[in-house]
Short mmCIF file of all heavy atoms in Angstrom, two decimals:
data_model
loop_
_atom_site.label_atom_id
_atom_site.label_comp_id
_atom_site.label_asym_id
_atom_site.label_seq_id
_atom_site.Cartn_x
_atom_site.Cartn_y
_atom_site.Cartn_z
N ALA U 1 -9.10 -1.14 -3.12
CA ALA U 1 -8.48 -1.79 -4.32
C ALA U 1 -8.10 -0.68 -5.37
O ALA U 1 -7.01 -0.64 -5.80
CB ALA U 1 -9.33 -2.84 -4.82
N TYR U 2 -8.99 0.21 -5.61
CA TYR U 2 -8.97 1.13 -6.69
C TYR U 2 -7.71 2.12 -6.28
O TYR U 2 -6.92 2.41 -7.20
CB TYR U 2 -10.20 1.93 -6.89
CG TYR U 2 -10.09 3.09 -7.80
CD1 TYR U 2 -10.38 2.75 -9.24
CD2 TYR U 2 -9.86 4.35 -7.59
CE1 TYR U 2 -10.37 3.69 -10.27
CE2 TYR U 2 -9.83 5.33 -8.53
CZ TYR U 2 -10.01 5.06 -9.90
OH TYR U 2 -10.01 5.94 -10.80
N PHE U 3 -7.78 2.59 -5.05
CA PHE U 3 -6.74 3.73 -4.78
C PHE U 3 -5.38 3.14 -4.46
O PHE U 3 -4.39 3.76 -4.91
CB PHE U 3 -7.25 4.57 -3.53
CG PHE U 3 -8.33 5.55 -3.88
CD1 PHE U 3 -9.63 5.20 -3.44
CD2 PHE U 3 -8.16 6.55 -4.85
CE1 PHE U 3 -10.74 6.06 -3.73
CE2 PHE U 3 -9.28 7.35 -5.13
CZ PHE U 3 -10.53 7.11 -4.62
N PHE U 4 -5.30 1.96 -3.89
CA PHE U 4 -3.92 1.37 -3.70
C PHE U 4 -3.36 0.91 -5.05
O PHE U 4 -2.17 1.00 -5.28
CB PHE U 4 -4.05 0.20 -2.72
CG PHE U 4 -3.84 0.55 -1.33
CD1 PHE U 4 -4.95 0.62 -0.41
CD2 PHE U 4 -2.60 0.86 -0.74
CE1 PHE U 4 -4.72 1.06 0.95
CE2 PHE U 4 -2.37 1.21 0.47
CZ PHE U 4 -3.42 1.24 1.35
N GLU U 5 -4.16 0.35 -5.94
CA GLU U 5 -3.68 -0.01 -7.33
C GLU U 5 -3.22 1.14 -8.00
O GLU U 5 -2.21 1.15 -8.76
CB GLU U 5 -4.83 -0.73 -8.05
CG GLU U 5 -4.23 -1.66 -9.26
CD GLU U 5 -4.36 -0.97 -10.55
OE1 GLU U 5 -5.15 0.09 -10.60
OE2 GLU U 5 -3.74 -1.37 -11.56
N ASN U 6 -3.93 2.31 -8.00
CA ASN U 6 -3.53 3.60 -8.62
C ASN U 6 -2.18 4.02 -8.02
O ASN U 6 -1.34 4.46 -8.92
CB ASN U 6 -4.62 4.66 -8.32
CG ASN U 6 -4.14 6.01 -8.97
OD1 ASN U 6 -4.09 6.20 -10.09
ND2 ASN U 6 -3.80 6.88 -8.12
N MET U 7 -2.05 3.90 -6.79
CA MET U 7 -0.69 4.44 -6.18
C MET U 7 0.48 3.38 -6.57
O MET U 7 1.53 3.93 -7.03
CB MET U 7 -0.81 4.44 -4.73
CG MET U 7 -1.82 5.51 -4.30
SD MET U 7 -1.69 5.89 -2.38
CE MET U 7 -2.38 4.33 -1.73
N THR U 8 0.22 2.11 -6.49
CA THR U 8 1.36 1.29 -6.69
C THR U 8 1.85 1.27 -8.16
O THR U 8 3.10 1.13 -8.46
CB THR U 8 1.00 -0.09 -6.31
OG1 THR U 8 2.26 -0.90 -6.24
CG2 THR U 8 0.09 -0.89 -7.27
N LYS U 9 0.97 1.47 -9.13
CA LYS U 9 1.48 1.44 -10.49
C LYS U 9 2.11 2.77 -10.88
O LYS U 9 2.78 2.80 -11.94
CB LYS U 9 0.31 1.24 -11.48
CG LYS U 9 -0.83 2.12 -11.52
CD LYS U 9 -1.96 1.54 -12.40
CE LYS U 9 -3.21 2.44 -12.41
NZ LYS U 9 -4.30 1.80 -13.01
N ARG U 10 1.99 3.79 -9.96
CA ARG U 10 2.80 4.91 -10.24
C ARG U 10 4.17 4.91 -9.65
O ARG U 10 5.18 5.43 -10.22
CB ARG U 10 2.09 6.15 -9.51
CG ARG U 10 0.69 6.41 -10.16
CD ARG U 10 -0.05 7.63 -9.40
NE ARG U 10 0.51 8.88 -9.79
CZ ARG U 10 -0.07 9.59 -10.90
NH1 ARG U 10 -1.10 9.17 -11.55
NH2 ARG U 10 0.47 10.87 -11.21
N VAL U 11 4.34 4.28 -8.48
CA VAL U 11 5.63 4.27 -7.80
C VAL U 11 6.25 2.96 -7.53
O VAL U 11 7.53 2.91 -7.38
CB VAL U 11 5.48 5.15 -6.45
CG1 VAL U 11 5.20 6.51 -6.69
CG2 VAL U 11 4.53 4.45 -5.51
N GLY U 12 5.42 1.94 -7.31
CA GLY U 12 6.08 0.68 -6.93
C GLY U 12 5.52 0.21 -5.59
O GLY U 12 4.37 0.26 -5.24
N ASP U 13 6.53 -0.12 -4.62
CA ASP U 13 6.13 -0.61 -3.31
C ASP U 13 5.43 0.42 -2.54
O ASP U 13 5.74 1.70 -2.76
CB ASP U 13 7.39 -1.10 -2.50
CG ASP U 13 8.07 -2.37 -3.17
OD1 ASP U 13 7.51 -2.98 -4.15
OD2 ASP U 13 9.04 -2.80 -2.61
N LEU U 14 4.61 0.09 -1.59
CA LEU U 14 3.86 1.17 -0.79
C LEU U 14 3.64 0.71 0.52
O LEU U 14 3.53 -0.49 0.93
CB LEU U 14 2.38 1.23 -1.50
CG LEU U 14 2.30 2.05 -2.72
CD1 LEU U 14 0.72 1.79 -3.19
CD2 LEU U 14 2.50 3.50 -2.47
N PRO U 15 3.48 1.64 1.55
CA PRO U 15 2.81 1.22 2.85
C PRO U 15 1.41 0.86 2.66
O PRO U 15 0.62 1.61 2.05
CB PRO U 15 2.98 2.60 3.67
CG PRO U 15 4.01 3.40 2.93
CD PRO U 15 3.89 3.07 1.51
N MET U 16 1.09 -0.30 3.17
CA MET U 16 -0.37 -0.75 3.05
C MET U 16 -0.82 -1.38 4.23
O MET U 16 -1.67 -0.93 4.95
CB MET U 16 -0.52 -1.76 1.73
CG MET U 16 -1.86 -2.24 1.55
SD MET U 16 -1.95 -3.58 0.36
CE MET U 16 -0.99 -4.87 1.16
N THR U 17 -0.12 -2.41 4.68
CA THR U 17 -0.64 -3.15 5.89
C THR U 17 -0.55 -2.37 7.16
O THR U 17 -1.46 -2.38 7.96
CB THR U 17 0.23 -4.46 6.24
OG1 THR U 17 0.24 -5.31 4.90
CG2 THR U 17 -0.30 -5.23 7.33
N GLU U 18 0.41 -1.49 7.26
CA GLU U 18 0.59 -0.63 8.39
C GLU U 18 0.10 0.87 8.14
O GLU U 18 0.33 1.68 9.01
CB GLU U 18 2.09 -0.49 8.78
CG GLU U 18 2.60 -1.92 9.34
CD GLU U 18 4.01 -1.90 9.89
OE1 GLU U 18 4.61 -0.81 9.93
OE2 GLU U 18 4.57 -2.96 10.21
N ALA U 19 -0.53 1.05 6.97
CA ALA U 19 -0.97 2.36 6.66
C ALA U 19 -2.39 2.62 7.24
O ALA U 19 -3.05 1.66 7.72
CB ALA U 19 -1.07 2.49 5.13
N LEU U 20 -2.77 3.83 7.27
CA LEU U 20 -4.12 4.23 7.76
C LEU U 20 -4.34 3.91 9.33
O LEU U 20 -5.51 3.78 9.80
CB LEU U 20 -5.22 3.56 6.88
CG LEU U 20 -5.08 3.72 5.31
CD1 LEU U 20 -6.21 2.98 4.71
CD2 LEU U 20 -5.11 5.18 5.02
N LEU U 21 -3.26 3.93 10.00
CA LEU U 21 -3.42 3.58 11.44
C LEU U 21 -3.29 4.95 12.28
O LEU U 21 -3.26 4.86 13.56
CB LEU U 21 -2.32 2.66 11.95
CG LEU U 21 -2.46 1.23 11.33
CD1 LEU U 21 -1.29 0.23 11.80
CD2 LEU U 21 -3.82 0.61 11.55
N GLY U 22 -3.14 6.01 11.60
CA GLY U 22 -3.09 7.32 12.36
C GLY U 22 -1.90 7.36 13.28
O GLY U 22 -0.80 6.99 12.95
N LEU U 23 -2.16 7.81 14.46
CA LEU U 23 -1.02 8.10 15.46
C LEU U 23 -0.53 6.75 15.97
O LEU U 23 0.57 6.69 16.50
CB LEU U 23 -1.67 8.85 16.61
CG LEU U 23 -2.05 10.29 16.36
CD1 LEU U 23 -2.68 10.95 17.53
CD2 LEU U 23 -0.85 11.12 15.74
N GLU U 24 -1.21 5.64 15.68
CA GLU U 24 -0.70 4.33 16.24
C GLU U 24 0.69 3.98 15.35
O GLU U 24 1.47 3.33 15.94
CB GLU U 24 -1.81 3.32 15.94
CG GLU U 24 -2.89 3.37 16.85
CD GLU U 24 -3.86 2.18 16.54
OE1 GLU U 24 -3.51 1.18 16.14
OE2 GLU U 24 -5.20 2.42 16.67
N ASN U 25 0.73 4.42 14.09
CA ASN U 25 1.94 4.12 13.39
C ASN U 25 2.14 5.25 12.37
O ASN U 25 1.48 5.21 11.31
CB ASN U 25 1.81 2.79 12.82
CG ASN U 25 3.11 2.38 12.11
OD1 ASN U 25 4.03 3.12 11.95
ND2 ASN U 25 3.28 1.06 11.74
N GLN U 26 3.13 6.17 12.79
CA GLN U 26 3.35 7.30 11.74
C GLN U 26 4.45 6.99 10.82
O GLN U 26 4.67 7.87 9.93
CB GLN U 26 3.68 8.56 12.57
CG GLN U 26 2.50 9.00 13.52
CD GLN U 26 2.71 10.20 14.17
OE1 GLN U 26 2.96 11.24 13.61
NE2 GLN U 26 2.73 10.14 15.54
N THR U 27 5.15 5.79 10.94
CA THR U 27 6.17 5.50 10.01
C THR U 27 5.90 4.02 9.51
O THR U 27 6.63 3.05 9.97
CB THR U 27 7.49 5.56 10.65
OG1 THR U 27 7.53 4.70 11.89
CG2 THR U 27 7.92 7.06 10.94
N PRO U 28 4.93 3.75 8.73
CA PRO U 28 4.56 2.44 8.29
C PRO U 28 5.60 1.86 7.31
O PRO U 28 6.15 2.54 6.46
CB PRO U 28 3.19 2.64 7.59
CG PRO U 28 3.27 4.06 7.13
CD PRO U 28 4.01 4.78 8.17
N LYS U 29 5.71 0.61 7.51
CA LYS U 29 6.63 -0.22 6.60
C LYS U 29 5.90 -0.35 5.19
O LYS U 29 4.82 -0.32 4.99
CB LYS U 29 7.00 -1.53 7.22
CG LYS U 29 7.87 -1.45 8.46
CD LYS U 29 8.22 -2.82 8.92
CE LYS U 29 9.06 -2.78 10.21
NZ LYS U 29 9.41 -4.13 10.80
N TYR U 30 6.89 -0.53 4.22
CA TYR U 30 6.35 -0.75 2.87
C TYR U 30 6.06 -2.22 2.64
O TYR U 30 6.83 -3.14 3.09
CB TYR U 30 7.43 -0.30 1.89
CG TYR U 30 7.45 1.22 1.73
CD1 TYR U 30 7.70 1.99 2.78
CD2 TYR U 30 7.35 1.83 0.45
CE1 TYR U 30 7.72 3.41 2.57
CE2 TYR U 30 7.46 3.20 0.17
CZ TYR U 30 7.59 3.94 1.26
OH TYR U 30 7.78 5.35 1.12
N ASN U 31 5.01 -2.44 1.85
CA ASN U 31 4.73 -3.76 1.25
C ASN U 31 5.16 -3.79 -0.05
O ASN U 31 5.22 -2.76 -0.82
CB ASN U 31 3.17 -4.03 1.19
CG ASN U 31 2.54 -4.20 2.56
OD1 ASN U 31 2.17 -3.30 3.31
ND2 ASN U 31 2.45 -5.49 3.04
N THR U 32 5.68 -4.91 -0.52
CA THR U 32 6.09 -5.12 -1.89
C THR U 32 4.95 -4.85 -2.88
O THR U 32 3.74 -5.02 -2.48
CB THR U 32 6.67 -6.48 -2.14
OG1 THR U 32 5.63 -7.44 -2.14
CG2 THR U 32 7.76 -6.80 -1.10
N GLN U 33 5.21 -4.62 -4.09
CA GLN U 33 4.24 -4.39 -5.10
C GLN U 33 3.38 -5.64 -5.31
O GLN U 33 2.17 -5.59 -5.48
CB GLN U 33 4.77 -3.92 -6.48
CG GLN U 33 3.77 -3.43 -7.48
CD GLN U 33 4.41 -2.64 -8.64
OE1 GLN U 33 5.33 -3.25 -9.23
NE2 GLN U 33 3.86 -1.48 -9.01
N LYS U 34 4.11 -6.81 -5.28
CA LYS U 34 3.39 -8.07 -5.39
C LYS U 34 2.34 -8.17 -4.27
O LYS U 34 1.15 -8.63 -4.48
CB LYS U 34 4.32 -9.17 -5.46
CG LYS U 34 3.68 -10.51 -5.51
CD LYS U 34 4.62 -11.69 -5.66
CE LYS U 34 3.93 -13.06 -5.67
NZ LYS U 34 4.97 -14.15 -5.79
N GLU U 35 2.79 -7.94 -3.07
CA GLU U 35 1.82 -7.97 -1.90
C GLU U 35 0.60 -7.02 -2.14
O GLU U 35 -0.46 -7.42 -1.75
CB GLU U 35 2.58 -7.71 -0.59
CG GLU U 35 3.53 -8.82 -0.23
CD GLU U 35 4.43 -8.27 0.90
OE1 GLU U 35 4.55 -7.12 1.19
OE2 GLU U 35 4.97 -9.09 1.57
N VAL U 36 0.89 -5.87 -2.74
CA VAL U 36 -0.20 -4.88 -2.92
C VAL U 36 -1.22 -5.55 -3.84
O VAL U 36 -2.42 -5.54 -3.65
CB VAL U 36 0.36 -3.48 -3.40
CG1 VAL U 36 -0.82 -2.68 -3.71
CG2 VAL U 36 1.21 -2.96 -2.31
N TYR U 37 -0.80 -6.03 -4.94
CA TYR U 37 -1.57 -6.52 -5.94
C TYR U 37 -2.41 -7.79 -5.37
O TYR U 37 -3.58 -7.95 -5.79
CB TYR U 37 -0.83 -6.97 -7.23
CG TYR U 37 -0.79 -5.76 -8.16
CD1 TYR U 37 0.38 -5.09 -8.30
CD2 TYR U 37 -1.85 -5.45 -8.90
CE1 TYR U 37 0.45 -3.95 -9.19
CE2 TYR U 37 -1.81 -4.31 -9.82
CZ TYR U 37 -0.71 -3.50 -9.94
OH TYR U 37 -0.66 -2.47 -10.78
N LEU U 38 -1.71 -8.57 -4.74
CA LEU U 38 -2.46 -9.79 -4.09
C LEU U 38 -3.59 -9.28 -3.18
O LEU U 38 -4.81 -9.82 -3.17
CB LEU U 38 -1.50 -10.65 -3.41
CG LEU U 38 -0.52 -11.55 -4.11
CD1 LEU U 38 0.44 -12.10 -3.24
CD2 LEU U 38 -1.46 -12.69 -4.80
N GLN U 39 -3.41 -8.22 -2.44
CA GLN U 39 -4.41 -7.72 -1.50
C GLN U 39 -5.54 -6.95 -2.36
O GLN U 39 -6.66 -6.97 -1.93
CB GLN U 39 -3.76 -6.72 -0.53
CG GLN U 39 -4.81 -6.10 0.43
CD GLN U 39 -5.44 -7.27 1.30
OE1 GLN U 39 -4.76 -8.01 2.01
NE2 GLN U 39 -6.73 -7.22 1.19
N VAL U 40 -5.18 -6.36 -3.37
CA VAL U 40 -6.16 -5.61 -4.30
C VAL U 40 -7.06 -6.73 -4.86
O VAL U 40 -8.27 -6.47 -4.79
CB VAL U 40 -5.37 -4.92 -5.44
CG1 VAL U 40 -6.35 -4.61 -6.61
CG2 VAL U 40 -4.73 -3.70 -5.07
N LEU U 41 -6.55 -7.84 -5.28
CA LEU U 41 -7.42 -8.88 -5.85
C LEU U 41 -8.27 -9.39 -4.77
O LEU U 41 -9.54 -9.83 -4.96
CB LEU U 41 -6.57 -9.93 -6.49
CG LEU U 41 -5.82 -9.46 -7.76
CD1 LEU U 41 -4.82 -10.50 -8.18
CD2 LEU U 41 -6.86 -9.23 -8.90
#
């Protein structure tokens, strides 16, 4: 929650759901900023 919230308030939308998968997915899609905040909560 802390690090994703820090990132999203700097830039906006972010790779989140498909992030941190390593070699399984090296081009993760972006989640909307609203989706990031819902997940943070």
Side-chain angles (χ1 to χ4, degrees):
Y2 180 86
F3 289 110
F4 271 105
E5 198 260 347
N6 174 71
M7 292 190 293
T8 192
K9 64 189 178 186
R10 296 177 80 92
V11 295
D13 295 357
L14 281 172
M16 180 185 66
T17 305
E18 296 184 3
L20 305 178
L21 298 178
L23 295 176
E24 292 181 32
N25 189 346
Q26 298 183 60
T27 56
K29 292 181 181 178
Y30 281 55
N31 289 86
T32 66
Q33 190 169 49
K34 178 178 176 177
E35 290 170 341
V36 174
Y37 271 102
L38 285 168
Q39 183 59 58
V40 163
L41 293 169

